Amino acid sequence: MPDGASALQLVFGGDPALYGIVALSLYVSLSAVILAALVALPFGAFLALTHFPGRTFVVVVINAFMGLPPVVVGLAVYLLLSRSGPLGFLGILFTPKAMIVAQALLVVPIVAALTRQVIEDLWVEYREELTALRVTPSRRVATLIWDARFSLVTTLLAGFGRAAAEVGTVMIVGGNIDGFTRTMTTAIALETSKGDLPLAMGLGLVLIILIIAVNALAWGARRVGEIRAG
Amino acid sequence: MNRRILLGLALTIALAAPAPAQDKAIVVASTTSTQDSGLFGHILPIFKAKTGIDVKVISQGTGQALDTGRRGDADVVFVHARPQEEKFVADGFGVKRFAVMYNDFILIGPKSDPAGVKGKDIETALKAIQAKGAPFISRGDKSGTHAAELALWKVAGVDPQAPPIPQAGTGREVTGGWYREIGQGMGAALNIASSMNGYVLADRGTWLSFKNRGDLDVVVDGDKRLFNQYGVMLVNPATHAHVKQDLGQQFFDWLVSADGQKAIADYKINGEQLFFPNATVPGA
Amino acid sequence: MRAPVTDLPLAFENASLRAGDVEIVSNLELDIAPGAPTILLGPNGSGKSTLLRLAMGLVQPTSGGVTWGGRNEPGERLAMMFQRPVMLRRSAAANVAYALGKHDKRVGELLAQAGLAALADRPARKLSGGEQQRLALARALARDPEILFLDEPTASLDPAATKAVEDIVSAVASSGVKIVMATHDIGQARRLAGDIVFLARGRLIERADAAGFFTSPATPEATAFLRGDLVI
């Protein structure tokens, strides 16, 4: 990115480096949320509906992991994916794939814990009806998730917020490589360390606007869905 | 039906990678000084235009960069701590060390210069800073710069970690806590020095491209002991078979060639050259 | 060829349900046989809803037992309609298809039977109270039940909607489905009943066929109830 340019000039001037960074940030964080959702939505629902020995412990741990420190997750994933580590043969360290996996790990507890709460509350309402209709346990999970879809969008947004805002994980497993693994947050960290604080702050505002835009789109989709499905 | 579409979309996004073609690319573990100064931004496009090889730079402190090389997570290591580089090769992690360029360290401090070190040599300056108890920011992160800083304290015969000694006859005590180890890169160190008007040892490259100077300026430079040599090594394919030996070799061949050395010398900020190529100088 | 599995007669054998310190139903002895609708009548809190849930297999008695056609486990052809039915967040037709397990022409037939053919694509949650009750009925009928349990289905409906529901229930009863319905509305019991099971305070007080019950109730509680007194 050109030196001394204000963030605004970069945005409206269509600076390709900035747009590349924005695209990568969205790609990584959105993919991480989708990947996390594939695991965490059914798991959270399962946790809500099934009582097994040790369930309370699992619930407490999942809730606690909502606060997993990103830098610790980043370090752990780094050690796993390093060529000297057990999964080194995958060769995905310092690539966006590693960043997606690491961010997904951060997002899973958030989506699972919030899904559990949403589904548990919904089950109180639906229990008798679904039992009377003799719905099998696996079908129950799918039905509750689908019927709770609007509340679950909010949990996914919470997960996205966490992913888009963090820097510790993607810095360590991505390496902040120019043009390849540099995201908004790592770019902000870099400009700060170069002393270009106005640009760093400007990028920060762009990031915030991006997050708001994603939330607004999700809210819009939710409203349309609610009007159509009641 | 809605569900299937969503699932399909999810899988497509997750699996399809919009990453550029990765056939010709190497990973170089380097230091924050080469990145923050903007050197790579200048020389790498020239290299890519010539060879088509994408150089992916991971910028970490020297200690971390060498560790990355040891683990086999990079193909090339490009740092500035000669003893550690030679040990890296001796331990079998690197093939051979080549000198590439040098720059110098400079002592940065507030314009008000409370320790009165301007224009002095580095040994005298460091002693004065300790005597006065003026705030000094150390990178404290096992980087090349940090190693150089510690070596200079040794030369000055000062232990910056020692508890303060009350100055006899002056009725004044030197308060402790003047030596601040932050464990971060050069840019962060400069930011902190700027905000607390402290002294800091920096490499000229990072200083020239640093924008948040506040009240800071160069107070000591030119001392022979502030010389800072950069070396480059290929990570040993015998230890890590996947290392891209051929492409990595092309990178250093270029760095030490007339072309690469010229590219390094051409990098200037405000007309001032940051790095001085010296690949051909024996014993560098 | 095996005899078809049936859940009738549905028998309560000294069944009680205790929750904490309270006995919600006590020592129920009751046989429900095929035929005209059985109405569970009684004031609020008399245990009607609990009896239905025991019969549906939604809860287990804490003592005594329930048998279905002589078996200890309920069969498949039971369906229930609740006082406040839960509408799935999808269209009316999709709700019926859900209960049916698939989407075929039976969906259309069931909706038509419930008078909801025009509302097939409307989101179920946007239907009026009466329409939702009829949809719940269509859903229950999708399971092709032998016994249909209804828990105060019209308690929150206006008279027009109530009539619509009662008409469907009568039609269903005529087609051979056994109806077991709880209500505290004497008029409704009169309109629909074959036989009456009168409950108060968790106990079965009186059992008689409709004509006999309304003209000459045998117990003081039933008499008081029919007179309009509060049976505490």
Side-chain angles (χ1 to χ4, degrees):
Chain A
M1 283 186 279
D3 264 2
S6 81
L8 231 62
Q9 286 174 307
L10 293 176
V11 170
F12 292 110
D15 177 67
L18 176 66
Y19 278 80
I21 290 175
V22 167
L24 182 72
S25 300
L26 286 175
Y27 168 65
V28 167
S29 296
L30 288 173
S31 303
V33 169
I34 291 173
L35 186 60
L38 289 175
V39 168
L41 284 175
F43 178 66
F46 164 80
L47 212 51
L49 300 176
T50 328
H51 288 260
F52 52 89
R55 177 183 183 267
T56 314
F57 175 72
V58 173
V59 168
V60 167
V61 166
I62 295 277
N63 285 346
F65 276 8
M66 288 202 280
L68 267 179
V71 69
V72 172
V73 171
L75 188 56
V77 174
Y78 175 84
L79 290 173
L80 275 175
L81 296 178
S82 162
R83 290 281 180 180
S84 308
L87 299 178
F89 65 87
L90 292 171
I92 61 172
L93 187 62
F94 301 139
T95 68
K97 283 206 174 77
M99 296 156 81
I100 292 174
V101 165
Q103 283 203 338
L105 288 175
L106 281 179
V107 172
V108 160
I110 294 179
V111 174
L114 296 178
T115 300
R116 181 200 61 79
Q117 190 63 64
V118 165
I119 300 291
E120 217 170 82
D121 292 343
L122 200 64
W123 179 237
V124 168
E125 207 189 316
Y126 278 46
R127 191 181 57 83
E128 280 196 328
E129 197 76 69
L130 292 186
T131 313
L133 288 171
R134 304 279 201 255
V135 176
T136 60
S138 55
R139 201 167 173 226
R140 253 183 239 161
V141 167
T143 305
L144 287 170
I145 289 178
W146 183 246
D147 268 38
R149 58 195 180 278
F150 300 126
S151 305
L152 292 179
V153 163
T154 306
T155 80
L156 293 181
L157 285 175
F160 173 75
R162 171 83 137 130
E166 72 84 27
V167 67
T169 307
V170 289
M171 184 69 94
I172 297 181
V173 308
N176 193 22
I177 298 172
D178 191 13
F180 191 58
T181 57
R182 188 164 292 171
T183 61
M184 289 296 290
T185 49
T186 59
I188 291 169
L190 177 61
E191 294 305 323
T192 305
S193 81
K194 283 161 77 174
D196 197 344
L197 305 184
L199 178 60
M201 194 62 221
L203 292 177
L205 287 173
V206 171
L207 177 60
I208 289 175
I209 290 171
L210 209 61
I211 294 177
I212 290 177
V214 170
N215 273 269
L217 275 172
W219 182 84
R222 178 184 170 149
R223 282 304 293 146
V224 166
E226 272 174 342
I227 289 170
R228 283 185 45 217
Chain B
M1 195 202 78
N2 280 338
R3 249 160 296 184
R4 287 217 205 100
I5 292 180
L6 278 175
L7 198 64
L9 197 67
L11 284 172
T12 313
I13 292 178
L15 297 176
Q22 299 202 35
D23 0 329
K24 286 178 93 175
I26 52 170
V27 174
V28 173
S30 188
T31 64
T32 52
S33 50
T34 41
Q35 159 142 309
D36 290 356
S37 63
L39 174 71
F40 283 133
H42 172 80
I43 67 174
L44 295 181
I46 301 176
F47 177 66
K48 170 129 194 223
K50 185 156 201 272
T51 60
I53 299 176
D54 247 317
V55 176
K56 300 191 205 161
V57 176
I58 311 233
S59 109
Q60 307 165 313
T62 295
Q64 197 181 353
L66 288 167
D67 184 61
T68 304
R70 251 176 249 123
R71 296 176 148 274
D73 291 326
D75 303 299
V76 171
V77 177
F78 187 161
V79 294
H80 59 120
R82 187 168 176 170
Q84 296 180 54
E85 293 163 29
E86 291 178 338
K87 183 169 190 306
F88 186 79
V89 173
D91 285 345
F93 294 110
V95 176
K96 185 163 145 49
R97 176 192 174 273
F98 288 90
V100 180
M101 62 199 192
Y102 70 90
N103 72 352
D104 58 332
F105 292 115
I106 46 185
L107 187 65
I108 306 289
K111 290 191 181 114
S112 59
D113 195 12
V117 302
K118 190 153 177 70
K120 307 237 167 50
D121 68 282
I122 190 68
E123 193 181 328
T124 316
L126 290 180
K127 285 195 179 113
I129 289 173
Q130 187 249 8
K132 183 81 184 168
F136 184 94
I137 310 303
S138 164
R139 284 195 42 190
D141 63 348
K142 286 199 158 124
S143 58
T145 308
H146 184 223
E149 180 217 315
L150 291 176
L152 289 168
W153 285 113
K154 244 203 185 101
V155 160
V158 170
D159 178 6
Q161 308 273 24
I165 306 159
Q167 295 202 299
T170 61
R172 265 183 310 137
E173 256 199 27
V174 174
T175 48
W178 58 273
Y179 184 70
R180 315 272 167 95
E181 288 185 279
I182 60 167
Q184 294 181 69
M186 199 68 252
L190 286 166
N191 272 329
I192 294 174
S194 171
S195 64
M196 53 166 55
N197 269 344
Y199 292 89
V200 58
L201 187 75
D203 64 280
R204 193 183 293 273
T206 309
W207 171 253
L208 284 176
S209 52
F210 187 71
K211 295 196 181 70
N212 187 27
R213 295 179 182 186
D215 220 23
L216 297 177
D217 202 1
V218 182
V219 291
V220 173
D221 67 342
D223 190 316
K224 277 204 321 294
R225 293 168 286 200
L226 294 174
F227 176 79
N228 177 31
Q229 175 70 44
Y230 285 78
V232 69
M233 299 169 287
L234 180 70
V235 172
N236 194 351
T239 318
H240 294 286
H242 63 269
V243 164
K244 295 186 180 158
Q245 192 178 359
D246 178 48
L247 300 177
Q249 191 64 50
Q250 287 188 52
F251 184 54
F252 353 142
D253 287 346
W254 182 78
L255 278 177
V256 305
S257 70
D259 219 24
Q261 298 273 289
K262 179 172 182 311
I264 291 171
D266 281 344
Y267 181 57
K268 296 183 167 65
I269 292 189
N270 293 331
E272 213 177 320
Q273 183 176 349
L274 271 61
F275 297 93
F276 299 84
N278 69 343
T280 48
V281 172
Chain C
M1 195 185 100
R2 278 184 353 180
V5 173
T6 173
D7 290 301
L8 293 168
L10 205 166
F12 288 80
E13 290 154 9
N14 200 20
S16 304
L17 184 73
R18 172 179 285 273
D21 283 339
V22 181
E23 258 203 352
I24 305 179
V25 293
S26 316
N27 309 106
L28 285 176
E29 284 280 346
L30 178 63
D31 270 10
I32 296 177
T38 299
I39 304 294
L40 308 179
L41 186 62
N44 284 334
S46 53
K48 311 189 293 293
S49 294
T50 308
L51 200 161
L52 282 176
R53 281 162 174 75
L54 284 164
M56 183 67 195
L58 292 178
V59 294
Q60 259 70 54
T62 44
S63 68
V66 184
T67 58
W68 293 264
R71 299 182 326 276
N72 290 324
E73 291 300 315
E76 279 305 302
R77 294 185 61 209
L78 300 174
M80 184 154 173
M81 217 185 105
F82 298 90
Q83 183 175 348
R84 285 189 203 287
V86 175
M87 296 288 112
L88 296 177
R89 220 189 260 272
R90 54 194 80 183
S91 71
N95 266 270
V96 177
Y98 183 84
L100 206 53
K102 53 185 186 279
H103 219 298
D104 63 20
K105 64 177 168 52
R106 282 263 294 149
V107 173
E109 287 167 14
L110 288 160
L111 284 173
Q113 186 181 12
L116 295 170
L119 298 171
D121 294 323
R122 181 82 61 87
R125 292 194 174 205
K126 296 207 166 172
L127 299 176
S128 71
E131 288 162 349
Q132 288 192 355
Q133 285 290 14
R134 284 186 276 143
L135 182 59
L137 202 43
R139 252 188 351 205
L141 293 170
R143 293 184 40 76
D144 187 27
E146 188 188 7
I147 311 177
L148 177 61
F149 299 102
L150 300 104
D151 188 1
E152 310 233 26
T154 59
S156 40
L157 301 183
D158 66 48
T162 302
K163 179 171 191 321
V165 172
E166 284 182 9
D167 286 346
I168 304 171
V169 172
S170 300
V172 165
S174 315
S175 73
V177 177
K178 172 72 185 182
I179 300 286
V180 180
M181 183 163 109
T183 183
H184 61 264
D185 180 347
I186 298 169
Q188 183 166 75
R190 250 193 247 272
R191 289 189 290 275
L192 295 175
D195 58 289
I196 303 284
V197 172
F198 180 74
L199 298 160
R201 294 183 305 267
R203 293 178 179 281
L204 185 112
I205 306 293
E206 193 174 329
R207 175 103 195 255
D209 68 75
F213 181 79
F214 290 114
T215 48
S216 34
T219 55
E221 292 90 339
T223 314
F225 184 74
L226 288 172
R227 206 170 46 221
D229 293 344
L230 291 171
V231 181
I232 299 175

